[in-house]
Amino acid sequence: MDFDTIVVGAGTAGCLLANRLSADPSKRVLLLEAGGKDDYHWIHIPVGYLHCIGNPRTDWLYNTEAEPGLNGRQLRYPRGKVLGGSSSINGMIYMRGQSRDYEHWAALTGEDAWSWGQVLPLFKQHEDHWRLDAKGSADEAFRALHGHRGEWRVEKQRLRWDILDAFAAAAEQAGIARTEDFNGGNNEGVGYFEVSQRGGLRWNAAKAFLRPTCLGRPNFELWTGATVHRLKLRRDESGALRCEGAEVRTSHGMEQVRLAPGGELVLAAGAIGSPQILQCSGLGPAALLQSLGIAVQQDLPGVGQNLQDHLQIRAVYAVEGTRTLNTQAAHWWGKLGIGLQYLWSRSGPMSMAPSQLGAFTRSSPQLRWPDLEYHVQPLSLDAFGEPLHRFNAFTASVCNLNPGSRGSVNIRSGDPDQPPAIAPNYFSTEGDRRIAAKSLRLTRRIVAQPALAPFQPREVKPGPAYESDEELTRLAGEIATTIFHPVGTCKMGRAEDPLAVTDPQGRVRGVAGLRVADASLMPTITSGNTNAPTLMIAERIASWMLQQRA
Ligand SMILES: Cc1cc2nc3c(=O)[nH]c(=O)nc-3n(C[C@H](O)[C@H](O)[C@H](O)COP(=O)(O)OP(=O)(O)OC[C@H]3O[C@@H](n4cnc5c(N)ncnc54)[C@H](O)[C@@H]3O)c2cc1C
């Protein structure tokens, strides 16, 4: 059977693409997903991300290389391997980034369609914002920025914590104004995050875009447990290269899926999966491919390079006179109470996104835009996967939104089952190290404000003894970890950019019938969490594909 479109990866981008591209009943669309169905209960109960990360049922279980900037540590590098992809295991924060991110993409690519004014309608197109539910509860300015009745539900969190309210007040005392909306183009301010949930349950890309619409369409097929190993490429007499389909491993063994004449295959396998598939297919840096004995189909030096990620520096403060999740979940009766609260009202800690309170601010008053994001949590632990501390504490995690460090994703062999080498190269620039020290000092300044004084906060990590830039940077390397935002490994760009893997519309250079439409396409990381920008990318590329089909 031939397909007009084959989408590889049913994650954040892939589910939206499949929905839009199969809306025309005359076009046959196949969606391929390596992971299984999203029928695991912990995907849907928000706090279940703790059970999904590090679980082979839902996670690819990657690790980074030993990172010099993190004092030689390797990090766990979760990526969703299930229907919905990373949207099934992520922190659910809805964050578009800053308008300047998109102006920058437009300048870098020369394509004005990526500018803020032109992407805003795309964010709104699939949005279903809770504040627009009730008539009259949102003003015209809010309506101009947000969408209603789209597929992507955005809700207010169903909990609050005294310690987080106090942190918000302390941030205000330190000069960070309150905000009710982080998604208006400038996210500066402090407030509770809004989340991708519906009625206290996670809202992932599969629920939003596949069920029931897509799954009911006779022209649409979804294969789960289907891992794409390589692309099928053919060179015609004139030497032009075209993608004709893919080799896929399913429960029946290896299968070939084919594109109909003029069809397109869209890679939406994410910032790790998409470059891996390209490199395994002979599309990538020639030297890397030759060193592994892979025939070079097209030398694309940028495939797998330009990896960008946000690194969170997790400062921990012990507190007195209030309860945090650490002690609330320490005993069976506490857990029972939490469970009953969730069953009764779908609220409380089980409805909790990993980070509830957020703040965007500037590491230096000279900056025009916020370059730091705080994720504040009423809990603390030594590392994800470790138990919560037994004392009451909160974590103020801070990340540099615009890191200068660039890393890579490179296959180690032509075997698609071997995980690639992931080297984010954190803290590899002087600027990133300087901002790390500055951001820890800012955290201390916020925590020292009067609003937090009643809770007698005591710095547990990195520890009050450390003061100098050098000490703080080394300690940041000790306590920092990924905030799970890898992007940029198949970046789009201008023809004269040697590292651009695709043109500004996601078409892979030198290969007809092949696009990329996921987080790997971003030329630079957005100033915030990356799920909403990835949905927008998929919306944009789908609209171009539909126009070009017509
Ligand atoms: C733990 C975690 C927490 C996060 N928290 C947040 C948050 O709170 N807010 C936010 O905005 N962002 C968050 N993110 C980031 C956000 O989820 C991602 O940026 C976004 O999901 C990326 O979408 P994508 O479509 O590029 O990739 P994905 O959603 O990862 O989808 C890729 C899909 O392709 C499949 N695939 C890969 N290789 C193959 C292959 N060879 N064959 C077939 N299928 C394949 C994968 O299994 C997966 O389903 C988080 C991510 C993680 C992992």
Side-chain angles (χ1 to χ4, degrees):
M1 170 101 47
D2 292 356
F3 295 90
D4 298 291
T5 309
I6 298 172
V7 179
V8 179
T12 297
C15 292
L16 187 148
L17 285 157
N19 179 307
R20 301 296 185 252
L21 296 168
S22 63
D24 174 354
S26 72
K27 301 293 180 194
R28 295 193 53 83
V29 174
L30 173 64
L31 176 60
L32 298 168
E33 168 55 43
K37 298 206 172 80
D38 59 338
D39 53 5
Y40 180 41
H41 63 285
W42 283 123
I43 292 175
H44 306 288
I45 299 172
V47 81
Y49 68 92
L50 288 171
H51 301 277
C52 293
I53 293 176
N55 182 343
R57 184 166 174 174
T58 44
D59 182 0
W60 283 88
L61 307 177
Y62 295 125
N63 291 296
T64 68
E65 300 295 285
E67 284 282 296
L70 303 186
N71 310 333
R73 284 186 301 133
Q74 283 185 287
L75 298 181
R76 216 183 228 197
Y77 216 60
R79 295 282 90 203
K81 185 182 185 182
V82 67
L83 215 52
S86 297
S87 79
S88 292
I89 68 166
N90 72 11
M92 294 162 275
I93 294 169
Y94 181 76
M95 189 63 62
R96 295 170 177 173
Q98 297 169 3
S99 59
R100 66 167 173 138
D101 299 327
Y102 303 102
E103 300 303 339
H104 189 46
W105 289 9
L108 284 174
T109 60
E111 172 56 85
D112 199 48
W114 292 112
S115 62
W116 173 246
Q118 296 209 42
V119 299
L120 181 57
L122 300 168
F123 281 112
K124 290 172 67 179
Q125 188 174 331
H126 52 252
E127 189 181 13
D128 183 22
H129 199 285
W130 71 276
R131 258 197 263 172
L132 298 176
D133 289 350
K135 268 200 187 134
S137 72
D139 61 15
E140 277 315 302
F142 191 83
R143 276 173 207 283
L145 288 167
H146 290 278
H148 198 217
R149 304 261 183 259
E151 296 92 341
W152 194 251
R153 182 70 178 164
V154 179
E155 290 197 344
K156 183 182 160 66
Q157 291 182 70
R158 301 160 81 91
L159 79 174
R160 52 161 292 281
W161 293 83
D162 289 344
I163 194 67
L164 298 188
D165 290 347
F167 188 96
E172 225 179 334
Q173 288 167 344
I176 305 171
R178 295 259 178 185
T179 182
E180 289 293 315
D181 184 10
F182 284 118
N183 287 298
N186 182 341
N187 41 22
E188 187 150 26
V190 59
Y192 279 86
F193 289 122
E194 289 180 321
V195 288
S196 313
Q197 291 184 6
R198 183 182 285 282
L201 292 171
R202 174 191 294 277
W203 197 240
N204 68 359
K207 288 186 209 172
F209 300 105
L210 298 185
R211 274 183 217 107
T213 340
C214 236
L215 293 178
R217 292 174 179 159
N219 59 322
F220 174 72
E221 274 185 47
L222 166 67
W223 297 5
T224 50
T227 308
V228 170
H229 276 193
R230 282 177 203 84
L231 304 175
K232 283 179 62 64
L233 302 168
R234 196 170 69 82
R235 203 175 284 282
D236 68 17
E237 313 76 57
S238 68
L241 201 57
R242 169 169 282 283
C243 178
E244 296 204 316
E247 293 171 23
V248 191
R249 194 191 53 228
T250 69
S251 53
H252 309 296
M254 286 308 292
E255 300 193 41
Q256 314 273 334
V257 292
R258 285 203 331 234
L259 284 169
E264 278 187 289
L265 185 141
V266 192
L267 285 177
I272 311 301
S274 289
Q276 181 183 20
I277 293 169
L278 288 172
Q279 291 175 357
C280 282
S281 310
L283 304 170
L288 169 75
L289 302 182
Q290 281 155 353
S291 72
L292 300 172
I294 297 171
V296 180
Q297 301 293 335
Q298 178 79 20
D299 179 16
L300 288 168
V303 174
Q305 315 315 300
N306 190 48
L307 172 63
Q308 296 167 50
D309 191 9
H310 290 139
L311 184 71
Q312 51 167 334
I313 307 174
R314 297 176 60 80
V316 173
Y317 289 85
V319 287
E320 304 292 335
T322 189
R323 300 201 73 186
T324 65
L325 193 67
N326 287 6
T327 52
Q328 211 176 327
H331 306 289
W332 67 264
W333 61 86
K335 288 191 180 112
L336 180 67
I338 289 170
L340 288 174
Q341 186 183 7
Y342 187 71
L343 278 179
W344 181 250
S345 63
R346 290 265 170 82
S347 65
M350 282 183 80
S351 72
M352 185 165 118
S355 299
Q356 297 91 58
L357 188 81
F360 287 81
T361 188
R362 289 166 286 153
S363 63
S364 137
Q366 284 82 42
L367 294 173
R368 274 191 57 212
W369 292 88
D371 65 336
L372 297 178
E373 179 179 4
Y374 279 91
H375 294 77
V376 194
Q377 306 162 347
L379 56 87
S380 65
L381 29 72
D382 282 334
F384 287 109
E386 300 285 319
L388 295 173
H389 292 145
R390 305 290 288 198
F391 51 87
N392 282 311
F394 69 86
T395 301
S397 142
V398 61
C399 71
N400 172 1
L401 290 168
N402 312 117
S405 300
R406 298 288 181 267
S408 59
V409 174
N410 287 324
I411 53 172
R412 299 169 201 269
S413 76
D415 174 4
D417 285 328
Q418 190 179 11
I422 303 171
N425 224 5
Y426 299 116
F427 287 152
S428 56
T429 69
E430 180 50 36
D432 288 356
R433 291 191 290 273
R434 199 164 12 92
I435 290 179
K438 276 183 157 185
S439 63
L440 279 170
R441 287 208 181 87
L442 176 60
T443 308
R444 285 177 176 168
R445 191 156 71 76
I446 296 171
V447 174
Q449 298 300 317
L452 274 164
F455 303 103
Q456 301 168 49
R458 180 174 55 80
E459 187 173 315
V460 177
K461 286 181 179 194
Y466 305 104
E467 295 276 355
S468 71
D469 274 8
E470 204 191 8
E471 283 172 331
L472 287 177
T473 310
R474 182 175 55 77
L475 265 295
E478 219 47 63
I479 60 176
T481 186
T482 176
I483 203 154
F484 319 113
H485 296 164
V487 304
T489 47
C490 301
K491 74 164 184 174
M492 59 181 166
R494 293 171 187 259
E496 56 273 24
D497 179 349
L499 288 183
V501 173
T502 80
D503 73 3
Q505 300 199 353
R507 290 176 288 223
V508 175
R509 293 202 184 290
V511 191
L514 181 60
R515 297 217 196 210
V516 178
D518 59 20
S520 68
L521 197 66
M522 298 185 195
T524 49
I525 195 163
T526 51
S527 304
N529 314 66
T530 47
N531 195 69
T534 306
L535 287 173
M536 183 281 290
I537 287 175
E539 197 80 88
R540 168 93 294 158
I541 302 282
S543 78
W544 277 326
M545 289 178 69
L546 291 171
Q547 275 167 23
Q548 285 154 19
R549 262 186 196 174

